[in-house]
Amino acid sequence: MFLAWKEMRRAKARFGLLIAAVGLLVFLILFQQSLQNGLLTSFTGALRNQSAEVLVYRTDGRRILQASVISPDLTEMVGQDPSVAAVGRITQGTFSVTPLALGADAEPLETSIIGFELPDLGGPRFLTVGRVPANTEEAVASEVDADGGFAVGDVVRIEPGGKQLTIVGLARDAQLNVAPTLFVTYDAYRAALVSRNPDAGAPLPNALGIRPAPGLTADQVAAAINTLSPELDALTRDDAAEQAPGVAQVRQSFRVIFLLYGFVVPLVTGLFFLIITFQKAPALTLLRAIGAPASRLVASLLVQVAIVLGGGLAAGVGLYAALARGRIGGVTLRFETTAVIVWVVLLSVGGLISALFSARRVLAIDPYSATTGAGVGR
Amino acid sequence: MNEQDEFDGDRFDGDESVDHAPAPDQAPALIMEKARKVYPMADSEVVALDDADIVVEADEMVALVGPSGSGKTTLCSIAGGILSPTSGRVVVGGVDISTFGPKQLTRVRRELVGFVFQSVNLVPFLTARENLLVVDELGRRTGAPARRRADQLLEELGLADRAKNLPGQLSGGQRQRVAIGRALMNDPKLVLFDEPTSALDTKLGMAVMELIRDEMKSRGIAAIVVTHDERITQFCDRSVHMEDGKVL
Ligand SMILES: Nc1ncnc2c1ncn2[C@@H]1O[C@H](COP(=O)(O)OP(=O)(O)O)[C@@H](O)[C@H]1O
Ligand SMILES: [Mg+2]
């Protein structure tokens, strides 16, 4: 402790900069973790956080809700399968919607509207306030858009046609395609279509929400439905969110970033300690020569590594806690506790492993070198 | 020998070994019998120390004189437990270290001998006082007694007002005095000085030698002072000459 501490006190700037660098890297990692999760939630939150445990698409819709159209015979086929307790039809479309709270002539917003036949098979799963829509005049909105004219009590207008919907509830993490999202009844959805085009008929469902038969898991039901027809593509709601087009690519890109950062932190600490171990080799050799056990010097090194990692992680997490809230370009950022724990463990282990290279150097010091003019460990 | 052993037990004492020690205090500080150090080379070998015999009495100060490459540093390194002899017997302060392994030798260096090396002697990021105190940190910490001892040594060496200075803020002579204090911190049986004045000018060198002599004699500690400067030898009780690895 004595040596480790005294050295750090005498080289405050050097160690301070290292701690700051580690802290900044930790912050960037965690911030990007929030960015990734926020981004994916904005794209597919409405799928993950709708109420049906299993969603059935039509295969040729390639897991895009709007592109999948399910014919009545397929609906019937699914409904008759013994693994299925109930089927709820789900429709989805993009509409131009004016949030009247921002003024009658406010700019209309591209808005996803999801129509559900049964509230527990395609309705919003988590309401933070309010209630599920009960008639064709009501809607639940994605919570992040509340301040944009989608708060409870606000009225929005569908363009053209002028059909109005009153917001009666807010759903958490329920956006689709990074746009304001409304959950409405099947009939309200139809009314919205008619508002836009008076000749519109009854819409075919884009997907089916499934309630599993008692005793069956979502996975089992999805598997059972997939055997019915190659035209059917059944997924659990988490799979539906994960396997939506683009999600895998986003994760892949972020994984590369995380991998790079995950290596940079141990690399930076490892190199730093290797350099200072080289620089102070004469002092370490002297200490070995006057009777310092090698284990003492290694312990002193590891204490410094622990202080640097601990300080850097604390600084990074602190910065993250302070800054990872609010929204960036329509993406909601949250403090991700799991990510913090995982990264703290990963980076601590990585940092300590990288310090083993310096430890090996220390152990290799030959005290006899202190007697020669050079006095430097090889 | 496991890690624990390094710190186990009391300090080494004279009564731990050796048959021919009459009483620990009067036991010679160093006995070397046929000590040999051979470095195997590609197709030959270098005999750095050639069956050296030497005895340094408990409070004796010996000047070790000889040309460069004659084996002076090798002899001191073996006496101080920095090098193991290839063969021969080495007894330091009554402890036979001839067959000691690396960890036992580390303990010998920490408890039985003091060193003042030719070049690097101080830890650059520790103050003068801390360079003395670090000795106490290497083994079992004693704390307050060590702090008292460090302050007393700095006072004796005329460094009381330099205690808080880093080595970089000290002159060559002052650094050498801190090194002497450091070598005395563990109350050694034998202090090994390898060319302690080679980096100093003549006048300063003489002053440092005077200081070394005073410190050793007042404490009754034995010393070997390596030099090739004949003027240095006058501070010592006797001179031992070396050539080609042999003690003459
Ligand atoms: N590690 C080593 N490997 C090979 N030869 C060495 C080594 N260390 C010292 N020697 C040789 O041993 C001899 C004695 O060296 P040394 O004890 O340093 O002499 P001195 O201190 O009297 O100048 C020299 O010839 C030197 O080259
Ligand atoms: Mg030499």
Side-chain angles (χ1 to χ4, degrees):
Chain A
M1 264 320 266
F2 178 85
L3 275 171
W5 193 244
K6 295 285 178 196
E7 185 191 2
M8 293 185 79
R9 269 189 49 191
R10 298 278 138 69
K12 281 195 205 82
R14 177 191 277 209
F15 281 92
L17 281 175
L18 178 65
I19 290 174
V22 171
L24 199 62
L25 288 167
V26 169
F27 166 72
L28 286 175
I29 290 173
L30 293 172
F31 192 81
Q32 300 198 64
Q33 187 85 53
S34 283
L35 205 58
Q36 173 194 264
N37 293 357
L39 198 61
L40 292 179
T41 297
S42 304
F43 268 111
T44 61
L47 296 175
R48 200 186 289 277
N49 293 319
Q50 54 77 37
S51 54
E53 277 184 70
V54 177
L55 289 175
V56 183
Y57 296 119
R58 185 141 139 187
T59 307
D60 59 11
R62 280 172 288 120
R63 293 171 180 170
I64 303 168
L65 197 47
Q66 216 164 337
S68 151
V69 177
I70 301 197
S71 58
D73 51 324
L74 283 175
T75 306
E76 185 160 332
M77 187 193 292
V78 171
Q80 280 168 4
D81 191 80
S83 67
V84 173
V87 176
R89 292 181 293 169
I90 300 169
T91 54
Q92 188 259 321
T94 307
F95 292 76
S96 282
V97 170
T98 306
L100 296 180
L102 303 187
D105 50 0
E107 189 70 22
L109 300 170
E110 288 299 297
T111 301
S112 291
I113 299 185
I114 296 172
F116 56 85
E117 191 178 20
L118 299 171
D120 65 337
L121 293 177
R125 183 147 69 125
F126 304 113
L127 290 184
T128 48
V129 337
R131 56 175 175 80
V132 179
N135 56 48
T136 58
E137 314 303 317
E138 297 177 347
V140 158
S142 42
E143 186 186 26
V144 284
D145 299 300
D147 291 342
F150 293 87
V152 170
D154 286 352
V155 176
V156 300
R157 188 178 67 207
I158 293 173
E159 314 290 356
K163 158 128 192 82
Q164 299 200 343
L165 291 167
T166 303
I167 309 298
V168 295
L170 295 176
R172 183 180 159 83
D173 292 342
Q175 273 196 341
L176 194 64
N177 300 332
V178 206
T181 300
L182 297 173
F183 288 86
V184 299
T185 64
Y186 214 79
D187 290 339
Y189 187 87
R190 186 177 179 171
L193 282 182
V194 171
S195 163
R196 195 162 66 180
N197 172 11
D199 299 332
L204 284 176
N206 297 102
L208 303 175
I210 306 296
R211 183 186 310 143
L216 292 184
T217 65
D219 282 315
Q220 290 168 330
V221 175
I225 293 171
N226 282 328
T227 61
L228 293 179
S229 160
E231 286 186 78
L232 293 171
D233 186 11
L235 297 159
T236 65
R237 63 183 155 213
D238 282 348
D239 285 349
E242 276 308 300
Q243 292 172 25
V247 170
Q249 286 82 344
V250 169
R251 285 211 189 274
Q252 183 62 34
S253 309
F254 274 97
R255 200 168 296 136
V256 172
I257 293 172
F258 291 142
L259 203 69
L260 289 177
Y261 278 108
F263 272 111
V264 167
V265 171
L267 202 69
V268 165
T269 49
L271 277 179
F272 175 87
F273 281 101
L274 206 53
I275 290 168
I276 64 167
T277 302
F278 267 115
Q279 281 184 345
K280 63 182 181 187
L284 293 173
T285 308
L286 170 72
L287 288 166
R288 286 287 286 125
I290 63 170
S295 55
R296 270 292 164 92
L297 301 181
V298 170
S300 169
L301 166 78
L302 293 182
V303 164
Q304 290 184 341
V305 173
I307 290 173
V308 164
L309 286 174
L313 286 166
V317 173
L319 203 59
Y320 173 60
L323 296 183
R325 36 191 91 228
R327 303 183 68 192
I328 289 189
V331 172
T332 307
L333 299 180
R334 289 218 180 87
F335 185 90
E336 309 267 355
T337 311
T338 319
V340 169
I341 293 169
V342 167
W343 280 108
V344 164
V345 170
L346 276 181
L347 296 178
S348 302
V349 171
L352 284 173
I353 289 174
S354 76
L356 294 183
F357 292 93
S358 311
R360 263 183 36 186
R361 281 275 148 201
V362 173
L363 289 174
I365 286 172
D366 180 0
Y368 177 58
S369 310
T371 66
T372 66
V376 179
R378 280 151 295 166
Chain B
M1 182 164 178
N2 63 34
E3 183 63 29
Q4 205 52 45
D5 293 341
E6 269 189 83
F7 300 104
D8 263 0
D10 299 324
R11 277 173 61 106
F12 282 120
D13 263 320
D15 55 8
E16 239 176 71
S17 64
V18 270
D19 28 30
H20 59 106
D25 276 354
Q26 287 131 45
L30 174 68
I31 303 167
M32 267 192 188
E33 288 170 359
K34 291 199 169 309
R36 193 174 175 78
K37 184 69 187 179
V38 180
Y39 291 104
M41 289 295 161
D43 43 26
S44 64
E45 52 183 30
V46 177
V47 182
L49 196 61
D50 194 353
D51 291 345
D53 293 314
I54 188 172
V55 174
V56 179
E57 295 303 333
D59 58 355
E60 198 181 17
M61 223 172 132
V62 174
L64 193 57
V65 191
S68 186
S70 58
K72 305 182 298 293
T73 297
T74 305
L75 187 147
C76 285
S77 301
I78 290 173
I82 286 183
L83 273 184
S84 299
T86 310
S87 63
R89 187 157 171 271
V90 184
V91 182
V92 180
V95 181
D96 189 335
I97 67 167
S98 316
T99 59
F100 275 16
K103 288 191 173 177
Q104 289 166 299
L105 287 178
T106 299
R107 188 175 163 195
V108 168
R109 300 198 294 274
R110 193 166 62 235
E111 296 182 358
L112 292 182
V113 289
F115 294 94
V116 173
F117 297 105
Q118 234 172 317
S119 54
V120 181
N121 266 306
L122 301 178
V123 179
F125 53 80
L126 297 180
T127 64
R129 185 166 184 265
E130 288 163 355
N131 263 287
L132 267 59
L133 288 176
V134 75
V135 173
D136 184 51
E137 297 285 330
L138 302 180
R140 262 209 217 142
R141 199 170 290 109
T142 63
R147 286 195 291 276
R148 275 198 299 277
R149 186 172 175 79
D151 291 334
Q152 190 200 332
L153 279 167
L154 289 170
E155 180 78 45
E156 281 176 27
L157 295 164
L159 290 166
D161 57 339
R162 293 284 171 200
K164 289 201 165 74
N165 287 70
L166 292 171
Q169 301 163 322
L170 299 174
S171 70
Q174 288 168 334
R175 279 203 289 271
Q176 207 62 345
R177 281 186 275 158
V178 177
I180 294 166
R182 207 268 332 286
L184 290 170
M185 262 305 278
N186 59 347
D187 195 16
K189 305 279 187 205
L190 171 69
V191 183
L192 302 159
F193 296 90
D194 199 348
E195 311 204 12
T197 61
S198 59
L200 307 174
D201 64 36
T202 313
K203 193 161 152 260
L204 207 52
M206 295 304 132
V208 165
M209 274 314 297
E210 214 164 306
L211 192 65
I212 289 175
R213 184 180 170 82
D214 290 349
E215 289 294 325
M216 296 304 126
K217 287 303 168 189
S218 68
R219 289 181 160 74
I221 296 176
I224 297 177
V225 182
V226 172
T227 180
H228 31 228
D229 185 344
E230 287 295 334
R231 280 168 303 182
I232 298 294
T233 60
Q234 73 191 51
F235 293 96
C236 299
D237 299 320
R238 66 183 166 106
S239 298
V240 171
H241 290 264
M242 287 193 76
E243 216 174 287
D244 294 336
K246 292 192 178 67
V247 174
L248 303 178

